[in-house]
Amino acid sequence: MAEEKPLEKMTVKELRDVAHGIEGLEGVSAMKKEALLIAIKEARGIPIKEERQEAIDTIVEVKKKIRELRERKTALRNEADKAGVKRLRRKINKLKKKTRKLAGKVA
C-alpha cells in the first residue's frame, strides 16, 4: 500500500474518503476541511492545537447566534419595526466580521 500523504495536504474529497472509513464518525459529508482534519486527528489520536479547536468552536457559536438574529430580524420585519431591523442588521454584520477574524486564526 502506498504511503498516505499528510492530512493537511489532502483535498476535502480525499479527507472525506478517509473519514468515511472511520467507524463512528457521522456528518462527514457536511463537514468543511478544518472540521474534517480535527475529526480525523481525534479518531487517530493525533494531538490538535488547542487554539485552533477553540477558534472553531467559537465560530460555530457565533454563526448560531447569527442564525437566531436573522430569525428575529425576519419577525421584526413582518411587524414593520424598521428601527429594530436596522439594529439587528448591525449586530449581524458585526458578528460576521468576527467570524472572518476567527477564521484567520484557524488558517
Side-chain angles (χ1 to χ4, degrees):
M1 186 171 119
E3 240 183 81
E4 193 176 88
K5 66 181 174 180
L7 293 174
E8 286 80 13
K9 302 234 182 217
M10 288 185 175
T11 64
V12 175
K13 186 175 181 179
E14 291 171 328
L15 288 170
R16 284 191 180 126
D17 290 340
V18 170
H20 280 296
I22 297 173
E23 210 172 302
L25 199 57
E26 295 179 10
V28 172
S29 299
M31 289 183 186
K32 298 205 177 197
K33 184 172 183 173
E34 200 61 41
L36 283 166
L37 283 170
I38 289 171
I40 293 169
K41 285 181 178 183
E42 283 178 351
R44 291 184 174 181
I46 300 170
I48 302 167
K49 291 182 182 177
E50 291 290 323
E51 183 180 301
R52 293 179 102 189
Q53 180 63 43
E54 289 173 11
I56 289 172
D57 291 341
T58 308
I59 290 171
V60 171
E61 292 167 9
V62 172
K63 287 189 175 190
K64 188 176 185 180
K65 179 73 174 171
I66 289 171
R67 283 190 295 273
E68 291 170 5
L69 290 175
R70 282 184 177 152
E71 289 173 10
R72 285 181 36 204
K73 185 174 95 172
T74 303
L76 289 176
R77 185 172 284 138
N78 292 337
E79 296 172 12
D81 182 2
K82 288 185 180 183
V85 170
K86 188 174 182 180
R87 186 177 64 250
L88 287 178
R89 189 184 76 236
R90 285 189 194 134
K91 279 186 180 181
I92 291 168
N93 285 339
K94 283 182 184 179
L95 290 173
K96 286 165 69 174
K97 286 179 185 178
K98 187 174 181 179
T99 60
R100 288 191 288 269
K101 186 184 265 187
L102 289 169
K105 286 184 179 181
V106 173

